[in-house]
Amino acid sequence: MNTAKQLSARERITALLDDNSFVEIGALVTKRNTDFNLSQKEISSDGVITGYGVIDGNPVYVYSQDSTAGSGTIGEMHAKKITAIYDLALKVGAPVIGIIDSAGLRLQEATDALNGLGEIYQKQTMASGVIPQITAILGPCGGGLAVLSALSDFSFMTENNAQLFVNSPNALKQNFTAKCDTTTAKFQAQAGNIDFVVSNEEDLLESIRNLVVLLPANNEDDASYDECLDDLNRLIPEAVFDNKDTAHILTEISDDNYFVEIKKAHAKEMVTGFIRLNGVTIGAVANRRVWTEESGALSAEHDGTLTAEGCLKAERFIRFCDSFGIPLLSLTDVEGYKAELNQETIIATAAAKLTYAFASATVAKVNLIIGKAFGSAYVTMNSRHIGADMVFVLESASIGMMDENQAVGIIYEGEETDLKAKAKEYKELQSDAVSAARRGYVDGIIDAGASRKHLIYAFEMLFTKSVHASKKHGTV
């Protein structure tokens, strides 16, 4: 039985914000509709508490649905309170945090409720790329409300009490809740619909506080940095790069080993998250060949290919970082595309989106090649060829079309020759890091232990990078 404490709507806001900082807006707003005896039902604050406050000194706007008042259902005035919060947040340039705990739309208000939901959608769309939007799902979030979460930049769920769904499990063909409960945090996180799953409400709200501190307040704010107390020249143990779990590599590179991983349970072969270098928030995207448990035990392995899910996961994260001026770091270790039938139906489109995201991003972009960088998959992963500002490669890495043994097998097919010698020659001429450096495709071959300081210096040099965008938007 779940014994996790559930906070009230007001307690959730209090736990989220700095002490005594919450200012409520629209406390007396209530429903206007009287149909179906609705006038006889008291719905305090029309089922949602709205206002503003600060998180570690950073202004934020917040709304928290109250499941004890009309089941937190969205009606006309409920929606107007939320859209009013968005209007204020857009005027001052501050994040919006929504806490969802609702039974859905208010049936008694029908089209008024649908209109209200549509107006919230519109405000979220207008705010996208202008101010960060964070959604915390602490109760039911079904039907059209699930779109509120998807329109946000980051979504959180608690493990046990939260539910996220468009259609309930029993409404899905050949499925029922006991067979597969599609509303759970685990299911939605693995599907990529949720960024963070947290065990209880208090820890979830604290996680949101930690994320807000990392992010700029809006798309014109350049204050997403903090004082760095870590040694800028700290060396990274070379053994870190041997285990191929790039989440651990990013943790080691970051100031004070600080790393916030996004969509940890989804497409694990592609790592996305935030680190800090010299106090500056950096968005990180990395290929991953293995992932390990917190104990260090091996959990699973990957073959070093790009998958459609991994491409789309990285693409959305890159677009967020580019919208808010957050510099990008990529760790490349890739040797092609996943060769499976189900992947073939979408991999080209997904890879195109990832390529476009990297190539069109105007923020500072640095690429560190830590392993194999083969074929067009390497080109997609923030290579110099699509606009990376700085590219570094470890001494042990390889850059080229494919593995040297495969290459000479194709080149000398049917010929009698010493394939071993030819493979060595091919590697030196075409797949070696030095050959790429001679062609200007990388800026430096560096020692793994010194990677942190090289990355810090590169981002410092690019701090004032400015690119003028001459078009409205692309079509990819």
Side-chain angles (χ1 to χ4, degrees):
M1 182 177 68
N2 176 34
T3 59
K5 179 183 178 183
Q6 284 188 276
L7 304 175
S8 69
R10 194 171 297 276
E11 287 174 335
R12 288 164 176 170
I13 294 177
T14 302
L16 174 67
L17 303 178
D18 292 352
D19 291 343
N20 302 315
S21 72
F22 179 59
V23 178
E24 187 170 359
I25 298 173
L28 299 179
V29 172
T30 188
K31 62 189 183 306
R32 298 191 303 174
N33 193 297
T34 60
D35 295 343
F36 301 101
N37 297 320
L38 197 59
S39 60
Q40 299 177 18
K41 299 178 181 179
E42 179 64 29
I43 302 179
S44 176
S45 298
D46 209 46
V48 63
I49 300 171
T50 58
Y52 61 91
V54 294
I55 292 178
D56 198 22
N58 300 287
V60 297
Y61 285 80
V62 60
Y63 67 88
S64 179
Q65 293 179 318
D66 186 355
S67 61
T68 66
S71 301
T73 52
I74 294 181
E76 175 196 14
M77 302 309 291
H78 182 119
K80 285 187 181 298
K81 291 182 68 175
I82 295 175
T83 57
I85 286 297
Y86 266 95
D87 287 335
L88 287 170
L90 285 166
K91 288 177 182 178
V92 303
V96 172
I97 301 170
I99 301 176
I100 305 293
D101 187 357
S102 171
L105 296 180
R106 194 171 298 160
L107 293 177
Q108 296 93 328
E109 299 193 32
T111 52
D112 286 335
L114 288 169
N115 176 70
L117 183 64
E119 289 180 345
I120 299 174
Y121 288 170
Q122 185 186 37
K123 295 299 181 184
Q124 284 192 279
T125 302
M126 293 172 62
S128 182
V130 180
I131 55 174
Q133 300 177 73
I134 299 171
T135 297
I137 302 171
L138 303 184
C141 179
L145 272 70
V147 180
L148 299 180
S149 171
L151 284 171
S152 302
D153 297 309
F154 301 102
S155 296
F156 292 71
M157 279 184 79
T158 51
E159 283 183 351
N160 298 309
N161 297 319
Q163 295 176 304
L164 176 63
F165 58 96
V166 174
N167 295 297
S168 68
N170 292 332
L172 303 176
K173 287 185 177 180
Q174 299 180 335
N175 188 62
F176 47 91
T177 303
K179 179 181 180 181
C180 179
D181 189 352
T182 55
T183 70
T184 64
K186 180 179 179 180
F187 179 90
Q188 295 294 339
Q190 290 177 346
N193 298 322
I194 291 296
D195 298 285
F196 299 94
V197 176
V198 188
S199 60
N200 57 69
E201 294 189 7
E202 291 91 342
D203 290 344
L204 183 147
L205 296 170
E206 184 62 30
S207 297
I208 293 178
R209 288 178 58 85
N210 294 335
L211 179 61
V212 168
V213 183
L214 275 174
L215 304 177
N218 55 69
N219 64 338
E220 296 180 345
D221 179 27
D222 63 352
S224 56
Y225 51 85
D226 198 3
E227 181 182 4
C228 176
L229 301 178
D230 199 354
D231 183 2
L232 301 185
N233 296 312
R234 174 169 57 84
L235 298 179
I236 308 298
E238 294 200 16
V240 170
F241 289 87
D242 294 336
N243 82 4
K244 301 298 182 181
D245 189 340
T246 44
H248 290 302
I249 295 174
L250 289 169
T251 301
E252 289 290 336
I253 290 174
S254 181
D255 297 347
D256 301 311
N257 303 130
Y258 184 75
F259 175 51
V260 177
E261 187 171 356
I262 309 297
K263 296 189 187 300
K264 188 175 183 178
H266 173 63
K268 294 183 179 181
E269 66 278 3
M270 184 72 78
V271 178
T272 56
F274 295 109
I275 65 172
R276 283 196 187 275
L277 290 176
N278 195 16
V280 178
T281 298
I282 305 291
V285 177
N287 305 118
R288 175 159 56 184
R289 287 181 179 268
V290 304
W291 40 96
T292 55
E293 305 293 346
E294 292 184 5
S295 63
L298 180 66
S299 175
E301 295 184 76
H302 184 65
D303 58 6
T305 56
L306 286 182
T307 65
E309 296 81 8
C311 288
L312 295 175
K313 172 183 174 180
E315 178 256 351
R316 179 165 182 174
F317 179 75
I318 293 164
R319 287 194 293 111
F320 172 83
C321 291
D322 189 44
S323 294
F324 290 95
I326 299 173
L328 286 165
L329 167 67
S330 57
L331 302 186
T332 299
D333 184 9
V334 66
E335 49 185 301
Y337 300 103
K338 191 71 173 176
E340 291 181 352
L341 186 62
N342 64 332
Q343 289 286 315
E344 194 63 21
T345 62
I346 192 176
I347 187 66
T349 300
K353 287 181 177 291
L354 179 57
T355 303
Y356 185 88
F358 269 129
S360 63
T362 59
V363 295
K365 297 178 287 188
V366 177
N367 186 20
L368 174 61
I369 300 172
I370 62 173
K372 295 180 179 179
F374 288 161
S376 56
Y378 140 67
V379 175
T380 289
M381 280 298 299
N382 194 29
S383 66
R384 166 59 50 78
H385 322 299
I386 62 171
D389 299 302
M390 296 290 291
V391 179
F392 299 106
V393 58
L394 300 188
E395 297 169 343
S396 59
S398 301
I399 305 173
M401 283 290 290
M402 60 181 69
D403 177 79
E404 62 271 13
N405 294 305
Q406 292 178 320
V408 297
I410 295 171
I411 293 173
Y412 296 100
E413 184 180 5
E415 298 183 25
E416 292 186 6
T417 185
D418 186 349
L419 293 181
K420 188 174 181 179
K422 291 296 183 182
K424 182 180 179 181
E425 180 184 7
Y426 185 90
K427 180 176 177 61
E428 293 174 352
L429 294 176
Q430 295 293 340
S431 297
D432 190 74
V434 174
S435 66
R438 286 172 177 166
R439 290 169 169 81
Y441 300 144
V442 299
D443 296 293
I445 301 174
I446 64 174
D447 179 71
S451 55
R452 169 177 159 81
K453 69 176 183 179
H454 281 284
L455 294 174
I456 288 174
Y457 301 155
F459 281 116
E460 280 189 347
M461 181 270 292
L462 293 165
F463 187 76
T464 56
K465 177 185 175 183
S466 178
V467 177
H468 175 68
S470 59
K471 62 181 179 180
K472 186 176 180 182
H473 58 75
T475 61
V476 177

